[in-house]
Amino acid sequence: MGKRLVLWDVDQTLLDIGRLGAEIFSASFAACTGLSEHAATRGPGRTDWLAFDETCLANGVDPSEEAFRRFTAAQEAGAEEKYASITGLGRVLPGVPEIMRSCAEHPDVVSSLLTGNTRRTAELKLAALGLDGLVDTALGGYGDDRRDRPELVGVARERVHRATGTSFTPDTTVLVGDTLNDVRAAQLGGARMVAAATGSASAADLRAAGAEAVFDDLSDTGAVLAELLS
């Protein structure tokens, strides 16, 4: 163990739950703030914390950490309530089970998550679509750990070091994601970036942003694994 730390984004990289995520966010924001009618904000690849703060500011609400913690509790409850809908309406993206299983079984790979979701929400999504058990979620970086996504890289590395005694570096850490914010997290957090053009960013945009490797999707297990281990 210990040659490569692979950190996976969740939404639009591993799975797609359509509008359910936005619906859960909106309902949770309303429950937390009392604003049943509110302006939404957009920004693929944001942490939940940053998305909450930006939505607060867009609606004249002063964001606070206490309010954010109430929001995350509501959001996680909403994800649990919508579990059946995630199972029924969500889908796993091409090649994902195969490449995740390859990493899970590889003796030189530590595999976890780096996502804007909270850990509980991410775990619910993975479980709903049969991807649970393929990563060690205790070792990841999540959207309620820090506001700024690049900081999650260090959070994950520290958790891995505490749990395993292995210290990973920018040269031995790889992020897998689909957004320009994922690329930014790799660049500023210190990691290599393997991108999948399965979200809103095109392959050309991801390359221009600085991703070292870009795939249309993760279906070519051998090629993706080779990039993760290179």
Side-chain angles (χ1 to χ4, degrees), residues 202-224:
S202 69
D205 288 340
L206 292 164
R207 288 191 189 93
E212 285 85 352
V214 180
F215 294 92
D216 290 334
D217 58 35
L218 300 176
S219 59
D220 189 339
T221 303
V224 175

Side-chain angles (χ1 to χ4, degrees), residues 30-142:
C32 174
T33 62
L35 296 176
S36 57
E37 299 292 331
H38 56 268
T41 61
R42 289 184 55 80
R46 294 179 297 177
T47 64
D48 280 352
W49 199 337
L50 181 59
F52 175 78
D53 282 3
E54 289 182 347
T55 305
C56 282
L57 293 172
N59 289 278
V61 176
D62 185 25
S64 68
E65 184 171 349
E66 180 184 359
F68 173 65
R69 299 303 172 187
R70 293 197 304 271
F71 164 79
T72 59
Q75 188 179 49
E76 289 169 357
E80 290 180 0
E81 183 180 332
K82 295 286 188 180
Y83 185 90
S85 296
I86 295 171
T87 301
L89 299 176
R91 66 186 180 96
V92 175
L93 295 179
V96 165
E98 293 81 8
I99 188 61
M100 290 184 75
R101 190 170 295 109
S102 293
C103 287
E105 295 172 351
H106 199 290
D108 293 330
V109 173
V110 176
S111 190
S112 191
L113 301 177
L114 193 140
T115 172
N117 294 285
T118 69
R119 176 180 170 183
R120 179 60 181 150
T121 300
E123 288 174 338
L124 284 165
K125 290 178 180 179
L126 294 184
L129 294 173
L131 300 176
D132 50 324
L134 296 179
V135 291
D136 188 341
T137 57
L139 305 180
Y142 299 96

Side-chain angles (χ1 to χ4, degrees), residues 9 43-48 50 115-116 147 149 178-182:
D9 174 51
R46 294 179 297 177
T47 64
D48 280 352
L50 181 59
T115 172
R147 288 180 181 84
R149 195 179 188 103
D178 67 285
T179 72
L180 301 184
N181 269 334
D182 291 309

